[in-house]
Amino acid sequence: MNPIDRRTFLGQLSLATAAIYVPRYGFSSDGQAADFVEVDTAYGRLKGMRNDGVSIFKGIPYSGRVSGDRRFRRPAPLESWTGVRDALQVGPPAIQAPRRNEPAPAEDCLFLNVWTPATDNRKRPVMFYSHGGGFVIGSGASASQDGSSLARNFDVVVVETNHRLGLLGFLYLDEIAGSDYAGSGNMGMLDITAGLKWVHDNIAQFGGDPTNVMIWGESGGGAKTSCLYAMPEAAPYFNKASIESGPGVRMTPRDVAAETTAMLLKELNIAPKDWRKLLDVPAVDLLTIQGKLPFVPPFQEKNRNQGTMRRNYGGFGPVVDDVVLPHHPFDPGAPAISLNKPLLVGWNEDEYTFFAWERKDTEFTKLDFEGLQKKLEPPYGTDAAKIVDTYRKANPKSSAPDIFIAVSSITMMGLGSVDIAEKKAKQGGASVYLYNFGYKSEKKIPGTDYAMGTPHAMDISFKFNNEIPPRDGSAPKESFFGGNRPERFAASHHFAELWTTFARTGKPAAKDVPAWPAYNLKTRPTMRIDTTCEVINNRFNDELAMWRSLGKL
């Protein structure tokens, strides 16, 4: 299998993440009855639960209806309620395959969850997270991204939304449907923006500071964060950002989005002039049709051949529509609208082992260097020899499988991350900080003796500080990806402290971690996050020079 086949990325990710992250909701995490806590919002009073030092509110509506005549449009206004509304269970996720232990997916999915140390008048930093799953699956209720530990251990407020995904969130109708559907190709992004506005208007009641909001996200959530960073409508509601393993340098151009819409209408046998028939198609049928069309990965390759891009990409994701998203997030440069907003960006060292695990790909572990070159020839042609030679010289102790993972991982998530860091540094505004997550899990890819290392998505539970010993003193359970070694607890604490300090001050820092210099184009410092963290200057210098020579960076 092509190691960096980006067209299949979301298809693989969709299947895998649904299996990995099993969300939990209800009362306390230990099964004990939790105390209730109430808070006022602009729309009515809410009842949440207080457990183990954290107040938790789940399933809060942040905007109105998006079904019926609101499909593909901005939401209806949120209606106030009388009395006290329960906020004890998560709301339904966006239309997708059913998610274990969550309500049935629904069109009307605009709900969010809040974790806070206390509903007092403290002005804590707010960490507004966008979930992964590309642009087609996921929710703000996954267990690995439970915000309790961050709120409890680092005195921050965590917010996560459900928002429209896939066809219902990103179908581009602007050219055929009229002014009521302006921005239709970015409804999923506008939902997230509505969540940010709700935070601005209400989070003070939850102990948060509406003037100190960090947006962050992993994989597809990183790409969503990249878009928010460039969106005028989102700009007033956050002041810093973190893009993690999802460098959204470029998004879908209008003409490609229009072609995707034409493919959909043809599949449904609907003439463009009769597009309103889309409003009557059951959501479950739209989901079936969505599965027949291409996926949009949370990155797009540097577009050197528009015709190739047309063939390879389509599907449903944010659209560069000159209105909601005026231009590509980081192409040709960092967005001027966020000039003064600090940024974190980076990736995991062994991203590709996730996909090897998901695809049950064990063949790469048997590669020798001759076989490695042959495996890289389909995507790289005659450049494959140069790639292998460069990586062997830069990493003389690495095996052929190691180099395969390194090449696949950096091309998936690393080159875009470096591109963003370079462009933000060149902009000369607020600082940008580049990182690699490198804690090595000892868990093996099934059917092999090859360790997972630092796979895609492993960072989620670490940065949320959910890799911690049980609070009841019982023996720790094995982490899904992180393994059994107790050293993972230190790595998780470092990761979480760096991110929460950045949320608080705009500069990442942590106890027992070296000072993290802002990225610059001379020394190019990168923080490697692990049990022991270190700053590495000019990391991957030879490899990146080679990728630049090939026009990949």
Side-chain angles (χ1 to χ4, degrees), residues 526-537:
T526 301
M527 177 64 80
R528 184 178 185 275
I529 301 170
D530 200 338
T531 301
T532 299
C533 299
E534 61 177 324
V535 175
I536 305 173
N537 288 334

Side-chain angles (χ1 to χ4, degrees), residues 366-407:
K366 304 170 187 176
L367 289 171
D368 57 19
F369 287 108
E370 181 180 355
L372 173 62
Q373 181 173 324
K374 290 180 179 178
K375 192 171 183 66
L376 295 178
E377 284 173 355
Y380 298 112
T382 57
D383 292 328
K386 182 177 182 179
I387 294 169
V388 173
D389 182 62
T390 300
Y391 270 80
R392 289 191 72 176
K393 288 178 178 177
N395 306 274
K397 296 182 180 179
S398 292
S399 66
D402 293 340
I403 290 177
F404 173 77
I405 293 299
V407 168

Side-chain angles (χ1 to χ4, degrees), residues 150-208:
L150 282 183
R152 179 187 302 110
N153 299 333
F154 297 96
D155 199 36
V156 297
V157 178
V158 180
V159 180
E160 301 176 25
T161 68
N162 292 350
H163 41 268
R164 280 176 283 183
L165 299 170
L167 189 159
L168 290 166
F170 299 100
L171 179 64
Y172 181 65
L173 294 171
D174 291 36
E175 296 175 12
I176 62 175
S179 59
D180 283 350
Y181 293 84
S184 57
N186 288 301
M187 284 299 130
M189 296 308 308
L190 289 172
D191 291 346
I192 300 173
T193 302
L196 282 167
K197 185 179 186 303
W198 184 95
V199 165
H200 179 80
D201 295 343
N202 294 279
I203 207 65
Q205 301 296 102
F206 295 81

Side-chain angles (χ1 to χ4, degrees), residues 366-520:
K366 304 170 187 176
L367 289 171
D368 57 19
F369 287 108
E370 181 180 355
L372 173 62
Q373 181 173 324
K374 290 180 179 178
K375 192 171 183 66
L376 295 178
E377 284 173 355
Y380 298 112
T382 57
D383 292 328
K386 182 177 182 179
I387 294 169
V388 173
D389 182 62
T390 300
Y391 270 80
R392 289 191 72 176
K393 288 178 178 177
N395 306 274
K397 296 182 180 179
S398 292
S399 66
D402 293 340
I403 290 177
F404 173 77
I405 293 299
V407 168
S408 302
S409 299
I410 201 169
T411 51
M412 272 188 159
M413 301 297 177
L415 298 183
S417 299
V418 172
D419 192 17
I420 287 173
E422 290 181 349
K423 288 171 177 173
K424 182 65 179 174
K426 287 177 184 176
Q427 192 180 36
S431 295
V432 59
Y433 300 89
L434 183 66
Y435 77 90
N436 295 140
F437 180 43
Y439 175 81
K440 300 302 180 189
S441 170
E442 78 283 7
K443 292 192 73 170
K444 302 294 194 293
I445 296 173
T448 78
D449 289 325
Y450 199 90
M452 296 287 289
T454 318
H456 186 72
M458 192 178 90
D459 56 310
I460 300 174
S461 61
F462 279 73
K463 68 195 176 194
F464 273 89
N465 200 213
N466 288 327
E467 299 288 344
I468 54 175
R471 294 174 62 79
D472 61 6
S474 61
K477 295 181 180 179
E478 184 179 49
S479 169
F480 189 92
F481 274 152
N484 258 328
R485 295 189 294 117
E487 290 88 345
R488 71 185 190 276
F489 304 142
S492 178
H493 193 279
H494 290 327
F495 210 151
E497 187 175 0
L498 287 166
W499 259 239
T500 53
T501 303
F502 179 75
R504 182 167 280 107
T505 68
K507 181 176 175 58
K511 184 180 178 181
D512 300 325
V513 171
W516 187 346
Y519 190 80
N520 64 79

Side-chain angles (χ1 to χ4, degrees), residues 245 347-355 409 413 454-457:
S245 294
W347 76 100
N348 298 352
E349 289 179 349
D350 307 302
E351 298 272 2
Y352 189 77
T353 58
F354 171 98
F355 303 98
S409 299
M413 301 297 177
T454 318
H456 186 72

Side-chain angles (χ1 to χ4, degrees), residues 121-323:
N121 293 319
R122 295 274 299 277
K123 291 187 175 181
R124 299 174 178 84
V126 180
M127 301 181 71
F128 184 101
Y129 188 76
S130 291
H131 66 74
F135 304 111
V136 293
I137 65 165
S139 82
S142 296
S144 61
Q145 63 195 43
D146 184 287
S148 298
S149 292
L150 282 183
R152 179 187 302 110
N153 299 333
F154 297 96
D155 199 36
V156 297
V157 178
V158 180
V159 180
E160 301 176 25
T161 68
N162 292 350
H163 41 268
R164 280 176 283 183
L165 299 170
L167 189 159
L168 290 166
F170 299 100
L171 179 64
Y172 181 65
L173 294 171
D174 291 36
E175 296 175 12
I176 62 175
S179 59
D180 283 350
Y181 293 84
S184 57
N186 288 301
M187 284 299 130
M189 296 308 308
L190 289 172
D191 291 346
I192 300 173
T193 302
L196 282 167
K197 185 179 186 303
W198 184 95
V199 165
H200 179 80
D201 295 343
N202 294 279
I203 207 65
Q205 301 296 102
F206 295 81
D209 183 353
T211 68
N212 191 15
V213 177
M214 168 185 168
I215 56 172
W216 58 316
E218 182 270 348
S219 192
K224 294 167 191 172
T225 302
S226 300
C227 292
L228 292 169
Y229 201 71
M231 284 173 53
E233 196 161 331
Y237 304 123
F238 71 93
N239 61 354
K240 57 185 72 72
S242 176
I243 299 167
E244 303 139 12
S245 294
V249 176
R250 288 164 285 275
M251 291 293 134
T252 305
R254 283 184 300 175
D255 57 345
V256 176
E259 289 179 10
T260 303
T261 301
M263 284 193 295
L264 172 72
L265 293 173
K266 183 177 181 180
E267 188 73 29
L268 290 169
N269 197 28
I270 296 175
K273 66 181 179 62
D274 296 325
W275 66 268
R276 283 189 176 276
K277 292 182 178 179
L278 288 170
L279 304 180
D280 299 322
V281 178
V284 66
D285 293 342
L286 292 179
L287 182 63
T288 299
I289 297 295
Q290 175 181 303
K292 297 180 180 181
L293 298 176
F295 288 103
V296 172
F299 40 64
Q300 298 238 6
E301 287 190 14
K302 199 168 186 177
N303 183 14
R304 305 180 77 188
N305 184 320
Q306 183 69 16
T308 298
M309 184 175 179
R310 287 173 185 271
R311 289 194 301 273
N312 289 356
Y313 296 101
F316 304 101
V319 179
V320 182
D321 61 1
D322 295 333
V323 180

